[in-house]
């Protein structure tokens, strides 16, 4: 089969011809129908410090994908051949005390598909049965493929009240855009967003953000004070930009929540902690998806038919055109790039 792999510790990836993976106990084999490119794949492609310290080549990359199960391990009863499934990229052993306590998303013993073990940018992939999430056939593969990333948005939005709420979302990368769609589907009253990239501002318009502010051209502080003099019910930080955190603390109302998903370039940030304390704001770090609560919530969201994600899928191409996808993402001229496979 063909696969996209990091074959040596250096920038770039290669298309390789490798044997199809074999199924062991507790595993299922998936024939790929669609896959989606994530920022993590760009880190691996570029071979930055994080990737160099973490990836042990040769490694087939890709952790956001969907497809049909074509074979199950001898002891597998929870999935069957023919099931349509999507990837959860975090592999957490069933024996994990964190998982059993409902904290699988922060389990230290996590390994990641396409990072620590072979991933899904390939004709076939083998994953632990729990990581193949049952998905309705009514969801098109191009959308089903990125539920791992969509789940980050579902997790973040559901970190606090949504229905009838006035929300601020800083940063309109794919997960920020997904968060707008999820919050709308869950009945948010108004969604105000910030973004500097004209390309992403266009996507935010299409996904249905109510107010879009551009920190490069607008006085965002003044605009937010005018829009929500008492503050927002909640702020979802999706940019990792150092200015967003103080902005969130200033414009979240007393008793509100700040949900942090964006990763900051510097570990240390300076904020007005006393404002946070005296306003009684709850600030929560968000990572991954709750196993499996987030997936259940995501399934319910799809069932409502209110989730409009199409504007985020800006490109579709065959998975062997990986280099084109990387260049689009590097240039910031893509929402989600979705890969197709031969059938
Ligand atoms: Zn991802």
């Amino acid at each position: 089969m063909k696969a996209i792999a990091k074959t040596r510790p250096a920038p770039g990836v290669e298309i390789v011809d490798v044997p199809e993976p074999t199924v062991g106990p507790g595993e299922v084999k998936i024939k790929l129908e669609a896959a989606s490119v994530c920022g993590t794949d760009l880190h691996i492609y570029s071979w930055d410090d994080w990737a160099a310290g973490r990836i042990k080549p040769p490694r087939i990359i890709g952790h956001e994908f969907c497809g049909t199960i074509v074979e199950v391990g001898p002891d597998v009863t929870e999935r069957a051949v023919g099931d349509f499934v999507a990837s959860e990229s975090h592999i957490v052993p069933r024996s994990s005390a964190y998982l059993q306590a409902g904290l699988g998303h922060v389990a230290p013993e996590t390994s990641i598909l396409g990072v620590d073990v072979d991933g899904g940018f390939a004709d076939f992939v083998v994953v632990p049965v729990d990581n193949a999430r049952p998905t309705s056939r009514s969801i098109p593969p191009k959308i089903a493929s990125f539920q791992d990333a969509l789940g980050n948005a579902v997790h973040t939005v559901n970190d606090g009240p949504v229905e009838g709420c006035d929300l601020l979302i800083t940063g309109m990368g794919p997960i920020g855009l997904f968060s707008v769609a999820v919050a709308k589907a869950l009945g948010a009253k108004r969604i105000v967003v910030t973004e500097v990239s004209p390309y992403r501002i266009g996507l935010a318009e299409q996904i249905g953000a109510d107010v879009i502010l551009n920190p490069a051209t607008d006085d965002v502080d003044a605009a937010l004070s005018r829009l929500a003099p008492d503050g927002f019910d909640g702020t979802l930080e999706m940019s990792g930009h150092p200015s967003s955190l103080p902005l969130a603390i200033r414009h979240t109302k007393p008793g509100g929540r700040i949900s942090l998903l964006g990763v900051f370039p510097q570990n240390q940030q300076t904020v007005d902690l006393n404002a946070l304390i005296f306003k009684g704001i709850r600030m929560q770090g968000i990572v991954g998806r709750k196993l499996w609560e987030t997936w259940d919530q995501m399934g319910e969201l799809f069932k409502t038919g209110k989730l409009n994600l199409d504007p985020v899928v800006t490109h579709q191409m065959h998975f062997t055109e990986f280099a084109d996808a990387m260049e689009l993402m590097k240039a910031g001229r893509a929402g989600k790039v979705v890969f197709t496979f031969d059938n």
Side-chain angles (χ1 to χ4, degrees):
M1 68 169 190
K2 284 207 183 336
I4 297 171
K6 174 68 81 178
T7 55
R8 56 206 169 81
V13 289
E14 282 176 60
I15 298 166
V16 293
D17 252 308
V18 290
E20 289 181 20
T22 51
V23 183
E27 295 178 333
V28 299
K29 180 176 175 180
I30 301 168
K31 180 176 177 7
L32 270 286
E33 291 184 27
S36 180
V37 185
C38 176
T40 303
D41 301 316
L42 191 56
H43 290 297
I44 298 171
Y45 180 81
S46 309
W47 204 241
D48 62 11
D49 289 348
W50 170 83
R54 178 83 181 243
I55 310 275
K56 307 271 175 281
R59 174 72 62 232
I60 297 172
I61 66 168
H63 60 272
E64 300 179 6
F65 53 85
C66 66
T68 302
I69 293 180
V70 291
E71 194 182 341
V72 300
D75 54 344
V76 169
T77 54
E78 302 92 333
R79 307 281 185 274
V81 169
D83 285 359
F84 184 49
V85 293
S87 59
E88 159 58 56
S89 65
H90 288 190
I91 299 171
V92 183
R94 283 184 181 176
S95 59
S96 160
Y98 280 85
L99 182 71
Q100 287 163 15
L103 293 169
H105 57 298
V106 290
E109 58 271 45
T110 299
S111 53
I112 301 181
L113 285 171
V115 173
D116 305 310
V117 300
D118 281 341
F121 289 170
D123 291 313
F124 296 91
V125 61
V126 164
V127 304
V129 60
D130 290 342
N131 291 76
R133 304 310 303 166
T135 297
S136 166
R137 265 286 169 201
S138 64
I139 304 169
K142 70 169 184 177
I143 302 285
S145 69
F146 55 68
Q147 289 178 87
D148 189 82
L150 176 61
N152 285 131
V154 173
H155 184 179
T156 312
V157 173
N158 279 314
D159 175 50
V162 185
E163 195 178 351
C165 287
D166 203 12
L167 298 178
L168 171 64
I169 307 180
T170 48
M172 289 287 108
I175 298 175
L177 293 162
F178 289 152
S179 296
V180 175
V182 169
K184 280 179 77 81
L186 291 173
K189 184 176 72 187
R190 182 177 64 170
I191 302 166
V192 176
V193 309
T194 64
E195 175 56 50
V196 290
S197 148
Y199 183 84
R200 287 175 165 177
I201 286 172
L203 296 179
E205 279 167 11
Q206 290 176 52
I207 204 91
D210 295 297
V211 180
I212 303 169
L213 300 169
N214 181 349
T217 55
D218 301 327
D219 183 343
V220 173
D221 237 335
L224 292 176
S225 296
R226 198 166 55 242
L227 286 162
D230 300 327
F232 290 83
D233 295 306
T235 300
L236 281 48
E237 205 310 281
M238 300 281 176
S239 71
H241 192 279
S243 70
S244 291
L245 198 47
L247 194 81
I249 293 172
R250 275 199 298 280
H251 294 284
T252 301
K253 71 165 53 158
R257 56 109 165 203
I258 299 175
S259 309
L260 300 176
L261 182 102
V263 177
F264 292 90
Q266 303 289 326
N267 291 341
Q268 312 268 335
Q269 298 290 324
T270 303
V271 296
D272 184 350
L273 268 182
N274 286 335
L276 190 87
I277 292 164
F278 289 115
K279 287 171 84 174
I281 291 171
R282 182 179 62 82
M283 189 152 70
Q284 175 72 47
I286 308 280
V287 60
R289 296 135 301 279
K290 288 191 175 173
L291 311 178
W292 302 96
E293 185 185 346
T294 301
W295 283 89
D296 295 340
Q297 291 169 336
M298 192 153 50
E300 292 302 313
L301 262 171
F302 276 115
K303 274 191 213 161
T304 65
K306 291 181 182 169
L307 208 48
N308 168 31
L309 302 167
D310 286 335
V312 189
V313 183
T314 54
H315 299 80
Q316 293 187 73
M317 59 185 74
H318 194 262
F319 83 107
T320 52
E321 294 171 60
F322 187 84
D324 292 346
M326 285 296 99
E327 291 312 315
L328 275 168
M329 293 198 42
K330 264 190 193 168
R333 297 204 58 81
K336 270 296 190 191
V337 179
V338 172
F339 286 148
T340 56
F341 293 80
D342 300 321
N343 282 311

